Amino acid sequence: MKDEVYTDQHQSVGPEVDHKLAAKKEKSRLSAIFTVVFSGFALLSDGYQIGVLSLINVCFTKIYGDQFTSEMSTRIGNSLFVGCILGQIGFGFICDRVGRKVGLMLTTLLVILGAALCAGAYGAGGSVEGLFWALTVYRGILGVGVGGEYPCSSASASEAADVVMPGRRGMLFVFVTNFVIDSGFVLSALVPLILALAGCSYEVIWRASFAFGVLPPLSVMYFRFKMDNSDIFQKNSIKKKVPYRLILQRYWKYLLGTAGSWFFYNFISYPFGIFAGTIIDQSGGENPSFIHTAQWMLLLNFFYLPGSIGGALASDKLGRKKTMTLGFFMQGILGILMGIFYKDLLGIFPLFVVVYGTFMAFGEFGPGDMLGLVSAEIYPTAIRGTAYGWSAAIGKFGAFVGTTAFKPAVAALGGGDADKGQARVFILASGLAILGSIFTWFLIPDYSKRNLHEEDEDFRRFLESKGYDLSNFGAPSAPTAADIEAAESDTAFADEKKA
């Protein structure tokens, strides 16, 4: 009789448990796929808005001449980086403590708002100086959204990629993050070029170019609203009493590695990207047309893509650490050679652009692809966004320093000769790339073959050994698939025992 009751109970409970668990797992997998795709897609706008300033600077120079001073150009460029630093630190905290979804929704709104304000910027009474100051403020707002996208999107994409494609997490992550950003850089040259070919005025070109950046985040708004926080986040998040002192004790070396390498990379990549249009405009002959400059800029930006694809393919096979070290080192060697033979290369301008593009491609192959990836996987889930945000913020500070110092360095090192100054800046920046390869090799671990859960478990054991209360982990209000399975199994067991 007891066996019959056990069988009846098992048959009545079992299918219900299986159905709920299967439904939860299917929803979780679909959410992971949505997260991978739509976490990354809005980054198209981030790469676009950073890159588009290069040709917009050319527009401003042609419209306003000497009124668009070097100081104002630098100020507008740096306002985005200041905003990025605030966004990366702030939203790194938010996406860990409040949730990935909340962070993604807020950053999407800020990017849309900032891009729209830039497109409609106007100086009071038609003041040119007022226009540039308005753009400085609006680019700062945009920067907070752009900066916040990095920890929120990367943390979400990394966790989702581990579910969707565990064996090729690195490749998938790069394709939905850095490759998308690089595609935004390509679009940042293509859109102004199309507008110029259509006969638009310089003012229409720069306003419409800013406005285009609204479309990518706007297109993913609905899908981000439908996302769920990942199971691994719900299980391993820390909502209160975050042990920051213990975190620094365990991860200070990793933070030095990711933040330091990011500083060197952004110090190199952003000035040479943002001012590439100006460099090409100055080096492309006597008074080149905007279309001429934009065409060469498009070709230059296109080199980001093969570099990014190569890094994505190498990340799982060669490993993150070796890929990043190799990219840094090759960029450094090529940059030094460019600096030595700079004037010779300018004499064959198409070759100069190709070599310049290859210099940028090596950066994308190595640190461009790998820094976001390693920063999203070598830290535990509980602090993934925060540690990523700290590292990326130091990187953006490198971009701020690099763009601020770029034009003064060209002037100081060239002694009035712009070509000589740019050649020497290439050599200086390339030395930092080699230093970045050293940082990478000695300070960053290779977690290419590790599951994200492994570091979570090691982190828990470390905290437990230090007397930390592990009950602070998890989000009880948001049960995972594993929690449902365990709860249903306990219920079934209790019913069986009672029967």
Side-chain angles (χ1 to χ4, degrees):
M1 182 66 178
K2 187 174 181 179
D3 291 341
E4 290 175 4
V5 171
Y6 173 84
T7 302
D8 291 342
Q9 279 293 114
H10 183 72
Q11 288 174 344
S12 63
V13 174
E16 183 181 350
V17 173
D18 290 343
H19 176 73
K20 288 182 179 179
L21 183 57
K24 177 67 178 179
K25 285 183 175 178
E26 179 62 22
K27 182 181 179 184
S28 187
R29 179 171 173 78
L30 286 174
S31 178
I33 294 171
F34 268 92
T35 300
V36 167
V37 174
F38 295 110
S39 285
F41 189 73
L43 291 171
L44 184 76
S45 181
D46 300 351
Y48 176 86
Q49 290 288 3
I50 292 169
V52 78
L53 190 61
S54 185
L55 285 174
I56 286 176
N57 280 340
V58 176
C59 286
F60 287 155
T61 300
K62 292 185 180 296
I63 297 171
Y64 301 108
D66 292 340
Q67 288 180 285
F68 183 57
T69 63
S70 174
E71 292 75 16
M72 188 57 74
S73 172
T74 301
R75 189 178 298 131
I76 292 173
N78 281 342
S79 65
L80 183 81
F81 298 137
V82 173
C84 279
I85 291 169
L86 296 175
Q88 284 163 339
I89 294 173
F91 280 98
F93 176 84
I94 288 171
C95 79
D96 279 343
R97 299 294 295 276
V98 181
R100 314 302 198 214
K101 179 177 178 177
V102 171
L104 287 169
M105 292 294 294
L106 291 175
T107 57
T108 304
L109 289 171
L110 282 171
V111 172
I112 292 170
L113 175 64
L117 287 172
C118 286
Y122 180 74
S127 165
V128 174
E129 186 175 359
L131 168 65
F132 292 145
W133 275 110
L135 280 172
T136 300
V137 174
Y138 300 155
R139 292 279 289 179
I141 295 170
L142 176 64
V144 174
V146 168
E149 279 284 335
Y150 281 79
C152 295
S153 294
S154 296
S156 299
S158 177
E159 292 160 4
D162 214 34
V163 174
V164 176
M165 196 179 287
R168 302 302 303 275
R169 180 180 70 228
M171 182 191 71
L172 182 58
F173 177 90
V174 171
F175 274 126
V176 300
T177 55
N178 198 54
F179 179 77
V180 174
I181 293 172
D182 289 343
S183 299
F185 274 100
V186 174
L187 278 176
S188 73
L190 181 61
V191 171
L193 175 59
I194 290 173
L195 292 168
L197 290 171
C200 297
S201 66
Y202 289 129
E203 181 164 0
V204 171
I205 290 172
W206 76 257
R207 289 189 184 277
S209 295
F210 273 138
F212 182 85
V214 173
L215 298 180
L218 191 63
S219 67
V220 301
M221 190 73 180
Y222 170 77
F223 298 100
R224 287 187 165 188
F225 179 74
K226 301 296 289 184
M227 286 180 185
D228 288 331
N229 288 316
S230 65
D231 281 356
I232 192 173
F233 170 76
Q234 294 177 54
K235 181 180 179 182
N236 293 288
S237 61
I238 301 179
K239 298 294 186 182
K240 58 182 181 179
K241 298 181 181 178
V242 180
Y244 291 110
R245 182 181 62 81
L246 294 177
I247 289 167
L248 288 173
Q249 181 181 334
R250 178 173 171 81
Y251 294 107
W252 70 268
K253 183 179 177 181
Y254 294 178
L255 284 166
L256 181 61
T258 53
S261 298
W262 222 325
F263 178 92
F264 295 136
Y265 176 63
N266 282 359
F267 186 95
I268 301 164
S269 63
Y270 279 93
F272 283 107
I274 287 175
F275 296 118
T278 303
I279 292 172
I280 291 173
D281 195 53
Q282 291 173 349
S283 307
E286 190 69 27
N287 195 27
S289 69
F290 180 85
I291 291 175
H292 175 274
T293 302
Q295 287 171 333
W296 286 113
M297 191 70 199
L298 176 61
L299 175 62
L300 178 65
N301 283 0
F302 179 79
F303 277 87
Y304 285 120
L305 299 182
S308 182
I309 292 170
L313 297 176
S315 64
D316 294 309
K317 295 182 179 180
L318 188 60
R320 295 25 162 172
K321 184 173 183 174
K322 291 179 181 178
T323 301
M324 189 156 95
T325 303
L326 179 62
F328 255 139
F329 185 76
M330 293 302 294
Q331 186 179 40
I333 296 298
L334 181 59
I336 290 172
L337 292 174
M338 280 189 71
I340 294 171
F341 299 105
Y342 194 81
K343 288 199 173 183
D344 296 323
L345 287 170
L346 288 181
I348 314 171
F349 190 69
L351 179 61
F352 168 75
V353 174
V354 169
V355 175
Y356 195 162
T358 305
F359 171 81
M360 303 299 282
F362 277 130
E364 289 307 295
F365 172 86
D369 277 358
M370 296 303 108
L371 275 167
L373 177 56
V374 298
S375 297
E377 67 182 13
I378 67 175
Y379 301 109
T381 301
I383 61 161
R384 181 165 292 123
T386 303
Y388 189 109
W390 289 347
S391 301
I394 297 297
K396 279 297 183 289
F397 181 68
F400 175 87
V401 174
T403 53
T404 301
F406 185 83
K407 288 190 174 182
V410 169
L413 295 174
D417 185 337
D419 290 344
K420 183 185 291 186
Q422 287 164 6
R424 291 177 176 176
V425 167
F426 261 105
I427 294 173
L428 174 64
S430 300
L432 291 178
I434 293 175
L435 186 58
S437 71
I438 296 171
F439 258 63
T440 299
W441 189 257
F442 288 104
L443 296 176
I444 294 179
D446 194 343
Y447 280 10
S448 304
K449 305 300 180 183
R450 278 173 65 100
N451 188 289
L452 296 182
H453 292 280
E454 294 180 52
E455 186 58 36
D456 287 333
E457 292 166 5
D458 290 347
F459 182 53
R460 282 175 180 261
R461 283 192 290 267
F462 168 76
L463 292 181
E464 189 175 29
S465 72
K466 300 296 183 180
Y468 180 74
D469 183 3
L470 297 184
S471 66
N472 289 319
F473 275 90
S477 61
T480 67
D483 295 332
I484 289 181
E485 183 177 17
E488 295 285 12
S489 297
D490 290 344
T491 301
F493 178 77
D495 289 343
E496 290 161 9
K497 188 174 180 181
K498 185 176 180 180

